Amino acid sequence: MTPPGTKRQPQEQLTGREKRMVKNRDARRIEATTSNDQVLKQGTPLTAQQHANARLDQINTLQTSIKNASYAVNVLAFQSVPRDLRRRTASHDARRLPQKLRERAAKEIAKAPPVKRKPRRCMRNPRPKSIKDEYLRRQRNKKWLETHIWHTKRMKMMDIWGYRLALHPNVKAERPCYRAFSHLSLLHDASYYGCLEWKGNLQSIVSILEQFMDPFMPSVGSVRYIKGQRIGHGLLYHSYPTRFFCPVTFLWRYHEMQQDQSQLWMWIHPSVFPSVLSHFQNVVKDIQDIELLDLRNKLVRFDFTGPRSTALLQSILDPVDENSNNGRLWRNLSQLRSSSSLPCGSVLGFTVKDPRLMFPQKVPPRINTVDLSHTSRIQDLCANWPSSAALTDIWDRHLCDSIHSNRPSDHSLFLRRQDLQKGHTATTSPVPLPFTQSDSCIPILLVQRGSPSSVQSNLNSNMKEFSEGWSLILPRGWGMAFWKSFIFAGARTSGVRDIRAMHFEAGLASFPYDYPGTPVWEDLRQSYKQQAAQVWEKRPPAKRANYDVLGVSHPFEAAFETLVDPASSTNYWVIQEKQLLLHALSSLAATATVVDLTAALQRRQILTDVDTVNKTWGAALVKVRLVLTEKGKPVQNATIHATNRKDITSSPFGYMTTAGFSLTLGCGAGTGACTLDGIQRLIKGQSTSDDITTIHKQKKSQALPQLSVFIKNPSSDKYRSALLSMII
C-alpha cells in the first residue's frame, strides 16, 4: 500500500486492494461546489434567491456523494452475517437473515437485476413420490446419522467407515474450533461409534473379554467398573500383543439383580466394528448364557469438550423430578467449572424433559465467584460419588422404543405454542411450554469422558481438558431435538478432522490415524499416498520437489516395514502399554525387570507364550510425541533421525503420522512411531548406566524421559531438532 505523503502511482501499477481503496475514497469525497451566479464582491448585497441557489447546490452535492458512497460499499446484507451462520439462500430470500438485516436485504434484492438462467439441456430427475423413500435409497451404501441433514448444509461431508460423516465446517474453522474446546464448548456427534451389548452371566462375559484385552490394564470385571458407577477404557486385541483391534470403552449396567442378568455396553470404532462383532460371534456361538446385540441404530451419542460444557448441559437437561436423588445431584453440579474435577469416568443417569418445550435455551453468563457452600458440596461429591448415580431406564429397550414411537411431532408443539400465545402481545420469540404428564420423558446417561490411567500421567493440567469432557447417551429418535438446543445455546460443532486436531493439541494418539499396523491404518495410508502422488504429478517438474535428489524413497507414505528387522517372524506392530514397553526394554538390555509378563498372561488366561513375544521385538514400534525446539513445522510422513549428519548413521528409525503447528505449544509438533530397537539405542546413547537402570525399574505412574532427535520433512534436506517422548 502506498505510504501517506508520497506521490500516487499510476492506476495500472496499483494492486487490487489499493484500487478498491482509491475507489472508496473517491466515492466518499465531497467536491467543492461553485454557484453559477457571478461571484459577489465584498459589500454587495445578497439576495434571498442567491442564498437559496448556493444552498441548493450543496444539498445536491451531498445527496450525490451519499448515493455514490452507498454504491461503493462492497458488503451486502447477507455478507454481514458471521461466516458460520451464512446460508446460500440468504442472497435471494431475506427471511433467511436475522430480523435486523431483512429490510436492508429486501431493498438490495429489489435493486438486483434479474438473473438469466440458461435452459438445462439434460432431463432432470423426476421428483420422488416419497422423500422418505428417496432418503432410504441414498443410504444403500452408507448410513446417515440423525443429524445428517443439519450437517450437510454446513459442513463438508465424506463417505468413510460405512457412514456419511461430517469432515469439517465449510468455513475456515480451525482456530475457532481450538478456541471452542479450550475456552468454550465443542460439540461432536459421535453416534457412528458402534455399541455392542453383552447380556448374560457376569463371570462368563468377564472370562471371555479378558482373553482379548490388555493384561496390564484394569480388568473388565474390576470392582471399580462392575458396579456401573464408572466407565472403563481398554485395549482390544485379536491376538495379544501383535494383532491389535482398537481402543474401546465399556460400561456395566447398575442394578441389584442376579449375575445371570448382567448387561455390558462396549463402544467400538466403526472402522473395526464388523470385524470385532464377527470375531466375538464366533467365540460365543457355543456358549448358551451369553447373548450379543448390535445397538448401532439404537443409541445417539454426543461428545462435549471444553470448560463451558457443564454450564451448557445444565441449561438444556432439565430433570423431570428435581427432588430425586440424581436430579438433585445434577443440580448440585451447576457451579462445576470443569468435568475433569469429577472422578474419572463418573456416570450419571436421570430422566429429562423434552428440550423442545423450552427452546431456545440460553447459557447463563459466567460468574467469577462461587459460594463456599457450593464448593464444599462439589468437593464432597468428588470424594464420595453416590453408588446409585448411574441408575437410569435407558437400558430398557422396550421403554426406549415406546418413547420413540410416541414422540410428539414438531407441528403439534407449534400448535400448543400458538394456542398459548393467543390473547397475549405479539412476539417473535418462542414462548416456553409448560410441562405436562403427557409430554415425553427421555432417559439419558451422562458420562464424564476421562482418559485411561496410563495416559493421564503424560498430560499436564491444560491438555487434560482437551481429552476429557462429557458424553451424552440418548435413545434413538431424539438426536435433532437435543442437537438444535445445544447449537442455539452456543455450542460449536466439529467434524472428524476437528476431533483429530483436538487429539493432536492434547498430545494423544488418534485412532486410527496414529495406530500403524492396523488394517484400517493401512487403508488410510494407501488413500493418502494416492492423493498426494496425484497432487505432486500435476505440478510441473520445476515447481515440485525432486525426491530422487533429496534421497527420499517413500515421500508419500510412512513405510515402517523398511525400518523393522526383515528377519522378524511377524509384520510390524505397535506396543500399546507402558508395562509391556518396560518389559521389552529390559529384555533387549538383558537386565532384570520388575514386569512379570508370564504371570500377567496366565492371570488373564491369554494363550500367548512369552518366548513367542520376545521373538517379535525386532518388528515392534513405539508411539511417540515430538515437539520441535527450533523454528519450522513438521509434516505428515516426516522421518525421525538420531543425528543430523548426512551419512549412514543418520538413517531414519521412525515416521510422523500426524504433524503440524500446535496452537497450544506455539511451535511445531506431531505424533508418530519409532522402532523399539531405535528407542533402545537412543536411550543408551543419551543416558548413563544409572539412568538406564532407573528407566527399566521405574513404576507405572512415572513418566518416561524425553530424548533428543532430529526431524526431516520429505521435501527438505534440513534436519530440525526436537524432543521425543513416548505415548504410553
Side-chain angles (χ1 to χ4, degrees):
M1 188 171 61
T2 305
T6 59
K7 186 177 180 180
R8 183 185 301 176
Q9 300 178 0
Q11 187 72 13
E12 60 272 5
Q13 298 182 7
L14 297 178
T15 63
R17 181 183 179 186
E18 291 174 339
K19 289 180 181 179
R20 289 193 298 270
M21 293 183 63
V22 171
K23 175 185 175 182
N24 294 338
R25 184 172 61 248
D26 294 342
R28 291 178 173 86
R29 182 181 292 113
I30 301 177
E31 301 292 343
T33 59
T34 57
S35 176
N36 295 330
D37 298 339
Q38 296 180 353
V39 180
L40 299 178
K41 296 181 180 180
Q42 186 176 5
T44 305
L46 178 65
T47 63
Q49 183 66 27
Q50 293 173 340
H51 179 75
N53 291 338
R55 303 291 81 75
L56 182 62
D57 292 340
Q58 292 179 351
I59 293 174
N60 292 334
T61 303
L62 285 173
Q63 291 179 345
T64 303
S65 300
I66 293 173
K67 187 176 181 180
N68 294 337
S70 63
Y71 288 155
V73 175
N74 296 325
V75 179
L76 299 176
F78 78 95
Q79 294 174 325
S80 303
V81 183
R83 292 183 180 271
D84 57 328
L85 297 179
R86 293 182 186 177
R87 300 292 175 268
R88 291 177 297 175
T89 56
S91 59
H92 58 81
D93 190 354
R95 295 174 298 177
R96 294 285 185 177
L97 290 170
Q99 192 171 7
K100 62 181 180 180
L101 297 176
R102 291 177 185 175
E103 183 178 358
R104 173 184 164 190
K107 295 179 180 179
E108 294 176 353
I109 294 174
K111 293 180 181 179
V115 180
K116 295 182 180 180
R117 301 183 181 274
K118 295 182 180 180
R120 301 185 63 175
R121 296 182 180 179
C122 60
M123 294 294 294
R124 187 174 182 179
N125 295 331
R127 184 180 295 273
K129 297 181 180 180
S130 173
I131 192 66
K132 181 179 179 180
D133 295 339
E134 175 64 16
Y135 285 167
L136 292 176
R137 183 189 66 82
R138 298 182 188 179
Q139 299 182 58
R140 290 177 181 175
N141 301 325
K142 67 269 186 185
K143 295 181 180 179
W144 289 2
L145 303 182
E146 292 188 8
T147 58
H148 172 81
I149 300 297
W150 190 94
H151 280 95
T152 53
K153 299 178 180 180
R154 300 162 178 86
M155 308 189 78
K156 173 68 175 178
M157 307 300 291
M158 181 179 181
D159 294 338
I160 186 172
W161 306 321
Y163 287 87
R164 182 75 172 172
L165 300 181
L167 189 61
H168 58 82
N170 289 330
V171 297
K172 294 181 179 179
E174 293 184 2
R175 288 181 180 268
C177 285
Y178 170 76
R179 289 192 294 266
F181 67 72
S182 58
H183 301 290
L184 301 173
S185 179
L186 188 70
L187 172 61
H188 178 65
D189 188 355
S191 304
Y192 54 88
Y193 271 79
C195 182
L196 182 63
E197 182 178 19
W198 295 71
K199 297 180 66 176
N201 183 269
L202 186 144
Q203 296 299 332
S204 300
I205 296 175
V206 172
S207 61
I208 291 177
L209 288 177
E210 282 187 343
Q211 301 177 23
F212 304 99
M213 304 289 283
D214 196 294
F216 294 107
M217 297 188 70
S219 171
V220 180
S222 176
V223 178
R224 71 181 76 178
Y225 301 136
I226 207 169
K227 295 181 180 179
Q229 302 175 3
R230 299 173 62 179
I231 195 170
H233 301 268
L235 300 174
L236 187 63
Y237 292 85
H238 184 280
S239 176
Y240 182 83
T242 56
R243 298 180 62 185
F244 179 68
F245 268 135
C246 67
V248 296
T249 56
F250 55 88
L251 176 65
W252 289 94
R253 180 181 182 180
Y254 173 81
H255 57 74
E256 298 178 356
M257 301 179 183
Q258 300 178 359
Q259 292 189 354
D260 293 339
Q261 301 177 356
S262 299
Q263 285 181 265
L264 172 71
W265 281 353
M266 178 179 289
W267 282 273
I268 306 168
H269 196 271
S271 60
V272 296
F273 188 91
S275 302
V276 174
L277 179 61
S278 176
H279 173 73
F280 281 125
Q281 285 177 344
N282 294 331
V283 173
V284 303
K285 62 181 180 181
D286 297 330
I287 302 177
Q288 301 296 332
D289 57 350
I290 294 181
E291 181 182 3
L292 290 180
L293 297 177
D294 184 0
L295 301 184
R296 277 182 289 185
N297 298 324
K298 302 297 183 181
L299 297 174
V300 177
R301 172 180 166 182
F302 295 153
D303 288 347
F304 297 83
T305 308
R308 293 289 288 168
S309 298
T310 305
L312 185 138
L313 289 168
Q314 285 280 346
S315 62
I316 307 298
L317 304 181
D318 189 10
V320 174
D321 187 3
E322 295 278 356
N323 297 323
S324 62
N325 294 334
N326 291 357
R328 290 195 302 268
L329 175 60
W330 173 238
R331 290 310 182 194
N332 289 336
L333 299 177
S334 59
Q335 302 298 329
L336 185 68
R337 294 301 181 96
S338 174
S339 62
S340 303
S341 304
L342 296 176
C344 181
S346 301
V347 179
L348 177 60
F350 53 99
T351 304
V352 298
K353 302 175 184 178
D354 190 343
R356 297 175 296 173
L357 300 177
M358 303 297 294
F359 181 85
Q361 299 90 334
K362 294 297 180 183
V363 180
R366 193 195 308 261
I367 58 176
N368 297 326
T369 58
V370 180
D371 187 61
L372 294 178
S373 60
H374 288 283
T375 304
S376 60
R377 193 179 302 116
I378 292 176
Q379 291 177 352
D380 293 340
L381 290 175
C382 294
N384 303 301
W385 190 254
S387 58
S388 61
L391 186 61
T392 179
D393 294 330
I394 196 174
W395 296 85
D396 190 348
R397 288 289 96 220
H398 298 288
L399 177 62
C400 292
D401 293 340
S402 175
I403 295 174
H404 175 260
S405 59
N406 298 326
R407 175 180 178 270
S409 63
D410 294 342
H411 180 67
S412 62
L413 296 180
F414 172 76
L415 295 179
R416 284 178 55 185
R417 188 172 283 110
Q418 195 175 36
D419 295 338
L420 190 64
Q421 289 179 341
K422 290 182 179 179
H424 297 276
T425 306
T427 177
T428 57
S429 59
V431 177
L433 294 176
F435 178 76
T436 61
Q437 296 296 329
S438 60
D439 288 325
S440 299
C441 301
I442 305 100
I444 67 168
L445 263 178
L446 200 58
V447 180
Q448 194 272 348
R449 196 178 62 256
S451 302
S453 57
S454 59
V455 177
Q456 290 181 356
S457 59
N458 298 329
L459 299 178
N460 55 37
S461 58
N462 295 331
M463 293 184 178
K464 188 178 180 181
E465 185 67 40
F466 298 164
S467 61
E468 299 186 2
W470 291 104
S471 289
L472 177 63
I473 312 299
L474 303 168
R476 69 183 180 100
W478 290 94
M480 280 305 301
F482 284 85
W483 183 268
K484 289 182 179 179
S485 297
F486 293 138
I487 296 301
F488 274 77
R492 188 174 188 91
T493 57
S494 60
V496 176
R497 188 190 69 177
D498 304 317
I499 297 301
R500 183 185 181 185
M502 185 176 65
H503 285 88
F504 165 75
E505 294 292 343
L508 300 176
S510 177
F511 186 87
Y513 303 100
D514 301 320
Y515 284 78
T518 58
V520 60
W521 185 86
E522 294 294 338
D523 295 339
L524 293 174
R525 168 186 171 180
Q526 297 300 327
S527 176
Y528 179 85
K529 177 182 177 181
Q530 182 179 4
Q531 295 177 4
Q534 291 177 355
V535 173
W536 181 81
E537 291 174 355
K538 289 181 180 179
R539 294 181 178 179
K543 301 297 182 182
R544 65 189 184 192
N546 192 333
Y547 296 112
D548 294 334
V549 175
L550 295 173
V552 180
S553 57
H554 302 277
F556 309 123
E557 60 178 340
F560 289 104
E561 65 275 3
T562 62
L563 306 180
V564 299
D565 186 5
S568 179
S569 59
T570 61
N571 298 328
Y572 62 91
W573 57 282
V574 179
I575 298 176
Q576 305 290 346
E577 216 278 332
K578 182 178 180 180
Q579 296 297 96
L580 183 62
L581 174 61
L582 295 178
H583 174 79
L585 294 176
S586 301
S587 300
L588 294 178
T591 59
T593 175
V594 296
V595 180
D596 192 350
L597 181 59
T598 304
L601 296 178
Q602 293 178 355
R603 183 171 58 253
R604 299 291 178 86
Q605 299 180 359
I606 299 177
L607 303 178
T608 302
D609 188 12
V610 178
D611 295 334
T612 304
V613 176
N614 292 333
K615 294 179 181 179
T616 61
W617 297 136
L621 302 176
V622 181
K623 290 182 295 183
V624 295
R625 167 76 168 175
L626 299 108
V627 178
L628 292 186
T629 57
E630 58 178 275
K631 292 183 178 180
K633 183 182 73 172
V635 298
Q636 186 173 342
N637 299 330
T639 52
I640 305 173
H641 303 258
T643 64
N644 60 348
R645 295 189 299 270
K646 298 182 180 179
D647 52 20
I648 190 64
T649 61
S650 183
S651 58
F653 68 98
Y655 283 96
M656 299 188 72
T657 54
T658 300
F661 183 83
S662 174
L663 298 175
T664 304
L665 302 175
C667 61
T671 307
C674 297
T675 61
L676 178 63
D677 182 64
I679 294 291
Q680 179 72 14
R681 287 187 279 105
L682 203 62
I683 293 176
K684 288 183 178 180
Q686 300 184 13
S687 304
T688 62
S689 58
D690 295 337
D691 296 336
I692 296 175
T693 304
T694 303
I695 293 174
H696 293 160
K697 294 185 178 182
Q698 66 174 310
K699 297 180 180 179
K700 183 177 180 180
S701 59
Q702 296 176 347
L704 294 171
Q706 290 185 335
L707 304 172
S708 298
V709 294
F710 294 89
I711 297 174
K712 178 180 175 297
N713 289 335
S715 59
S716 173
D717 59 351
K718 183 178 180 180
Y719 292 81
R720 293 179 170 87
S721 61
L723 291 178
L724 179 147
S725 57
M726 285 164 272
I727 306 177
I728 295 295

